[in-house]
């Protein structure tokens, strides 16, 4: 492995080389904030200094001129777009023809048939990842790239947004300082420097991946695992397999999930994973390797364990299983409004039970899965209200996942959950509930579940639907009396569940921080019972909030009571 002893400028980095972003790397992900940061960092550099671009980690392929970009692909791609924007600005000026050709020589390969070296084949020196390849190439070749632009892909939006940004900025420089100003800026770009680290052996390449990951740079656990997967796939199958992997990642991210989190939950949902963890511990010569580990695969072992899983299952089977699991996972992280129990878990921000739920969803039918999520929702909510140790609950979920690996253990698993709920603590649960002031998403979930008991529904997609603070967050009028009486108590009580209700009509917004007697006029017109019934209260103060919250407990106490489920 070779590392440059000091930073080298872009001219020397690009000279006589061809760069390829391998299929396992991500598409272009820089947004305008990152693009503009790079632009201004270079633009504002002093004349006698060079902007440092960071490190560029490469793997030299067998032909000695093609370089796989292990890390730095976002910066390198952006530099190519920036240089292209300058070439476009000066290309029609005969006075700057020489400068234009020199810049072209940096981002395009020379035509071997042109002995004078005055023309270029217009083949970019950088080949981006598969999904961006045609668009990026068309941009740099000055073609109509609209036919290659897919508006659904974030990477395509990012590429064209970066190009538009640079085009605009270069044009501003020209208007202010003519083409001489543009060339001065181009000089700053090519004087910018990288530290280059180059791997020449496959083993060094893998080491580079691990180094990048350990340093917390752009590569994620998912990138490392994808790279490892590529090693086991034949060239003929590579594109198809990588497409499946990218489809999985896109599905997760389109539903606002994180690939690494999914990979963590997926691997811990596999029946055999405890065994593989034991084998890994034996290989590492860890004592007491035969004990149960929870989670079986901690984040620090994720890459190593996925290497074992890929070898065990074969790449084809592994990807098929992963794709199926990703569809189930999306249901967990982005449930529909009628998936009440999963929506409740989402509101609580809970995901420690996901490996267990993935396992159950894979083994049992729809009704059994729904019952199981009801149980998990009840257990999780009660455990939270009672303020019990979340680590203890996480361990219980993993133990249950081990136990339920056999389908015949379903009924017994249900009984284990019921036992773990411990309904003997109902008095304590009530005491905690009636003083509850959770985060807003949980309060919203509690009110929504209570509304559903009356066969009513709330259209949360309606922008006029919102949670109303009866005693307002910004006190005015009569509320100032309560606020001045005890400021700390006021701050505590305004976010208690008993002080909240649901408004879903635009006219209700007018209630805001009006006196309670004026608010009742708006509440009485509501189609939601818990809001309409606020008219039964003659006034509103701390004691009324306590009474209301106790009333809500009586309404909701059976919601998280799963004794009768089987």
């Amino acid at each position: 492995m070779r590392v440059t002893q000091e930073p080298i400028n872009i001219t020397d980095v690009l000279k006589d080389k061809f760069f390829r972003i391998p299929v396992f790397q991500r598409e272009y992900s820089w947004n305008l904030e990152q693009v503009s940061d790079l632009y201004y960092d270079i633009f504002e550099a002093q004349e006698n200094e060079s902007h440092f671009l960071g490190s560029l980690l490469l793997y030299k392929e067998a032909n000695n001129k093609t370089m796989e970009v292990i890390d730095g692909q976002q910066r390198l791609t952006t530099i190519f777009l920036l240089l292209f924007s300058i070439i476009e600005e000066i290309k029609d000026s005969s006075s700057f023809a020489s400068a234009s050709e020199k810049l072209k020589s940096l981002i395009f390969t020379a035509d071997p048939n042109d002995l004078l070296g005055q023309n270029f084949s217009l083949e970019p020196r950088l080949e981006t990842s598969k999904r961006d390849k045609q668009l990026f190439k068309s941009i740099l070749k000055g073609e109509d790239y609209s036919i290659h632009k897919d508006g659904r892909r974030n990477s395509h939006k990012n590429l064209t947004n970066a190009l538009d940004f640079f085009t605009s900025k270069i044009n501003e420089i020209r208007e202010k300082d003519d083409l001489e100003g543009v060339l001065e800026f181009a000089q700053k770009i090519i004087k910018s420097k990288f530290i280059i680290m180059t791997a020449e052996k496959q083993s060094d390449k893998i080491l580079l991946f691990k180094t990048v990951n350990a340093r917390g740079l752009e590569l994620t656990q998912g990138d490392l695992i994808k790279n490892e997967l590529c090693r086991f796939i034949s060239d003929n199958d590579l594109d198809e397999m990588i497409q499946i992997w990218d489809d999985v990642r896109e599905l997760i991210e389109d539903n606002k999930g994180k690939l690494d989190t999914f990979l963590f939950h997926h691997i811990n949902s596999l029946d055999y994973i405890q065994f593989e963890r034991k084998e890994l511990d034996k290989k590492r010569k860890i004592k007491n390797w035969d004990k149960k580990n929870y989670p079986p695969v901690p984040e620090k072992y994720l890459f190593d364990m996925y290497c074992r899983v890929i070898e065990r299952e074969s790449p084809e089977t592994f990807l098929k299983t992963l794709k199926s699991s990703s569809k189930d996972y999306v249901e967990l992280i982005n449930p529909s409004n009628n998936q009440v129990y999963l929506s409740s878990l989402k509101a609580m921000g809970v995901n420690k039970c996901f490996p267990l739920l993935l396992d159950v969803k894979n083994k049992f039918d729809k009704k059994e899965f729904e019952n199981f999520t009801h149980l998990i929702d009840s257990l999780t909510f009660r455990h939270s209200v009672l303020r019990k140790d979340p680590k203890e609950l996480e361990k219980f979920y993993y133990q249950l996942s081990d136990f339920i690996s056999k389908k015949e253990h379903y009924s017994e698993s249900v009984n284990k959950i019921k036992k773990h709920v411990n309904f003997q603590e109902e008095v304590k649960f009530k005491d905690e509930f009636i003083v509850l002031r959770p985060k807003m998403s949980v309060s919203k979930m509690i009110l929504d579940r209570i509304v559903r008991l009356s066969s009513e529904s709330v259209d949360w997609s309606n922008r006029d639907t919102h949670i109303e603070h009866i005693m307002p967050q910004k006190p005015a009028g009569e509320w100032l009396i309560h606020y001045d009486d005890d400021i700390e108590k006021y701050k505590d009580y305004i976010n208690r569940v008993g002080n909240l209700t649901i408004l879903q009509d635009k006219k209700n917004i007018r209630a805001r921080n009006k006196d309670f007697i004026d608010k009742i006029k708006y509440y009485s017109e509501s189609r939601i019972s818990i809001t309409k019934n606020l008219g039964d209260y003659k006034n509103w103060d701390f004691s009324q909030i306590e009474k209301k919250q106790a009333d809500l407990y009586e309404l909701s106490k059976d919601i998280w009571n799963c004794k009768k489920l089987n």
Side-chain angles (χ1 to χ4, degrees):
M1 190 181 299
R2 293 188 293 107
V3 182
T4 53
Q5 295 184 354
E6 58 185 30
I8 61 175
N9 61 40
I10 286 178
T11 303
D12 292 328
V13 172
L14 301 181
K15 185 173 58 178
D16 298 328
K17 297 184 184 71
F18 180 82
F19 298 89
R20 185 171 62 84
I21 297 174
V23 290
F24 48 78
Q25 292 282 29
R26 288 196 163 211
E27 299 92 358
Y28 186 67
S29 63
W30 270 19
N31 56 38
L32 282 180
E33 182 178 354
Q34 293 158 307
V35 168
S36 65
D37 282 346
L38 178 69
Y39 171 83
Y40 284 111
D41 284 344
I42 298 174
F43 183 79
E44 293 170 2
Q46 298 299 314
E47 287 186 15
N48 59 347
E49 65 181 27
S50 301
H51 174 64
F52 179 57
L53 291 162
S55 58
L56 191 61
L57 277 58
L58 308 170
Y59 170 66
K60 183 183 287 188
E61 295 185 356
N63 64 14
N64 285 331
K65 286 193 176 181
T66 299
M67 299 287 189
E68 278 191 11
V69 184
I70 306 299
D71 179 61
Q73 69 268 30
Q74 307 294 339
R75 282 162 290 164
L76 194 60
T77 304
T78 307
I79 289 293
F80 267 70
L81 290 172
L82 181 52
L83 289 173
F84 172 74
S85 299
I86 290 175
I87 292 169
E88 286 293 284
E89 191 68 38
I90 67 174
K91 67 179 181 181
D92 295 327
S93 172
S94 58
S95 301
F96 293 95
S98 177
S100 177
E101 294 304 310
K102 286 179 181 178
L103 290 175
K104 284 183 181 179
S105 71
L106 292 180
I107 66 172
F108 296 109
T109 57
D111 184 347
N113 297 315
D114 178 18
L115 298 180
L116 296 176
Q118 294 177 345
N119 297 305
F120 295 87
S121 63
L122 291 182
E123 288 300 317
R125 290 189 180 276
L126 175 65
E127 181 182 288
T128 55
S129 59
K130 181 180 178 182
R131 293 186 175 185
D132 296 340
K133 182 178 177 180
Q134 289 302 321
L135 176 61
F136 182 77
K137 187 175 182 179
S138 291
I139 288 173
L140 262 65
K141 294 183 76 169
E143 299 172 345
D144 176 12
Y145 57 78
S146 61
I147 58 173
H148 299 298
K149 183 181 178 183
D150 185 341
R152 296 168 298 176
R153 296 202 185 285
N154 285 333
S155 61
H156 286 199
K157 294 176 185 176
N158 290 335
L159 282 169
T160 53
N161 285 344
L163 178 66
D164 291 343
F165 175 83
F166 288 145
T167 300
S168 172
K169 290 299 175 184
I170 301 305
N171 187 254
E172 285 180 15
I173 296 174
R174 180 172 184 171
E175 288 180 356
K176 183 176 181 295
D177 297 316
D178 296 322
L179 287 180
E180 286 80 2
V182 175
L183 260 293
E184 286 177 11
F185 178 53
Q187 198 71 40
K188 287 184 177 182
I189 298 170
I190 63 176
K191 283 171 62 178
S192 298
K193 297 177 182 290
F194 280 107
I195 283 281
I196 308 295
M197 184 181 294
T198 308
E200 298 180 344
K201 299 177 182 177
Q202 184 72 21
S203 58
D204 289 340
K205 177 182 174 182
I206 295 169
L207 179 61
L208 267 184
F209 269 94
K210 293 184 177 180
T211 301
V212 169
N213 188 61
R215 288 166 53 197
L217 297 178
E218 293 176 6
L219 290 178
T220 64
Q221 292 272 29
D223 295 322
L224 291 169
I225 294 162
K226 185 179 180 182
N227 175 58
E228 185 67 15
L229 178 64
C230 290
R231 293 181 55 231
F232 291 90
I233 301 173
S234 69
D235 291 342
N236 291 335
D237 297 329
L238 190 60
D239 280 356
E240 180 183 354
M241 295 297 167
I242 292 304
Q243 185 67 49
I244 295 173
W245 175 277
D246 288 345
D247 287 345
V248 167
R249 175 172 60 79
E250 217 167 74
L251 178 65
I252 299 296
E253 293 180 351
D254 284 350
N255 284 276
K256 299 183 179 179
K258 295 181 178 179
L259 180 64
D260 280 7
T261 307
F262 162 63
L263 292 170
F264 173 76
H265 289 147
H266 168 71
I267 200 168
N268 280 301
S269 73
L270 302 176
D271 283 342
Y272 60 78
I273 209 61
Q274 276 285 11
F275 171 78
E276 289 295 340
R277 168 67 186 275
K278 291 174 186 177
E279 292 300 303
L280 181 64
D281 284 352
K282 283 167 66 176
K283 188 176 180 180
R284 292 170 177 265
K285 297 183 180 178
I286 296 176
K287 294 181 180 179
N288 301 321
W289 59 266
D290 58 340
K291 69 179 181 181
K292 295 286 185 182
N293 298 283
Y294 302 106
V297 183
E299 289 184 27
K300 65 179 179 179
Y301 290 163
L302 196 63
F303 174 73
D304 292 328
M305 289 297 288
Y306 263 103
C307 291
R308 298 181 68 88
V309 169
I310 292 168
E311 285 191 75
R312 176 185 175 121
E313 292 190 352
S314 82
E316 294 79 10
T317 303
F318 167 74
L319 284 169
K320 181 180 179 181
T321 304
L322 197 71
K323 185 174 183 178
S324 175
S325 181
S326 69
K327 293 177 181 177
D328 293 337
Y329 191 74
V330 163
E331 199 171 314
L332 303 186
I333 63 173
N334 195 19
S336 62
N337 193 45
N338 63 351
Q339 292 176 298
V340 179
Y341 311 121
L342 290 178
S343 296
S344 178
L345 292 172
K346 180 181 179 180
M348 288 186 279
V350 171
N351 64 20
K352 301 295 185 184
C353 55
F354 282 4
L356 171 61
L357 292 181
L358 284 173
D359 191 20
V360 171
K361 192 163 187 9
N362 185 48
K363 288 188 174 76
F364 302 103
D365 63 31
K366 185 176 181 180
K367 183 62 177 176
E368 288 171 321
F369 177 70
E370 185 179 8
N371 285 343
F372 206 88
T373 56
H374 187 172
L375 289 162
I376 296 299
D377 168 45
S378 298
L379 171 57
T380 303
F381 181 74
R382 296 176 72 91
H383 200 277
S384 173
V385 171
L386 292 167
R387 290 182 283 124
K388 293 190 173 184
D389 181 7
K391 275 290 181 185
E392 179 272 330
L393 187 58
E394 180 183 9
K395 184 176 180 181
F396 172 72
Y397 287 144
Y398 282 117
Q399 290 172 333
L400 201 61
S401 190
D402 283 342
F403 182 76
I404 209 170
S405 59
K406 295 183 179 179
K407 288 189 177 183
E408 58 268 25
H409 287 172
Y410 179 85
S411 296
E412 196 171 340
S413 297
V414 167
N415 291 330
K416 282 179 179 288
I417 297 175
K418 290 180 180 179
K419 185 178 179 180
H420 204 80
V421 168
N422 190 359
F423 291 103
Q424 304 305 314
E425 295 183 291
E426 192 63 31
V427 173
K428 184 179 178 183
F429 177 72
K430 177 181 178 180
D431 290 342
E432 294 291 345
F433 185 95
I434 61 178
V435 296
L436 198 61
R437 57 175 192 126
K439 61 183 181 180
M440 192 53 63
S441 62
V442 175
S443 294
K444 176 180 171 181
M445 177 271 292
I446 292 170
L447 295 176
D448 182 77
R449 296 287 292 273
I450 291 171
V451 166
R452 288 174 185 266
L453 290 175
S454 304
S455 299
E456 298 170 342
S457 62
V458 180
D459 181 10
W460 294 108
S461 65
N462 184 339
R463 61 185 299 177
D464 295 324
T465 301
H466 67 282
I467 298 295
E468 155 85 347
H469 289 77
I470 303 168
M471 188 165 70
Q473 293 173 292
K474 295 181 179 179
E478 72 171 277
W479 307 111
L480 284 171
I481 299 172
H482 305 306
Y483 183 80
D484 293 337
D485 182 50
D486 192 330
I487 294 174
E488 292 307 312
K489 190 173 184 179
Y490 192 96
K491 290 179 179 177
D492 174 32
Y493 273 63
I494 57 171
N495 288 314
R496 289 197 180 188
V497 179
N499 187 50
L500 305 175
T501 194
I502 301 172
L503 293 181
Q504 58 176 4
D505 294 314
K506 193 169 186 177
K507 59 185 177 182
N508 294 151
I509 297 174
R510 299 171 192 161
R512 297 200 175 183
N513 58 356
K514 294 180 182 293
D515 288 351
F516 184 67
I517 193 168
D518 295 318
K519 286 194 170 199
I520 290 176
K521 298 174 185 177
Y522 296 100
Y523 297 159
S524 63
E525 298 173 356
S526 175
R527 292 164 289 170
I528 303 295
S529 297
I530 60 170
T531 303
K532 190 172 185 176
N533 293 343
L534 287 168
D536 297 339
Y537 292 81
K538 302 305 179 186
N539 62 356
W540 198 258
D541 54 22
F542 299 133
S543 62
Q544 296 291 53
I545 292 173
E546 292 172 359
K547 181 181 183 303
K548 177 64 176 176
Q549 195 141 337
D551 291 343
L552 290 176
Y553 167 77
E554 293 301 325
L555 282 172
S556 67
K557 63 183 180 181
D558 290 334
I559 292 176
W560 293 281
N561 186 336
C562 50
K563 287 180 182 178
K564 297 180 181 180
L565 275 179
N566 52 42

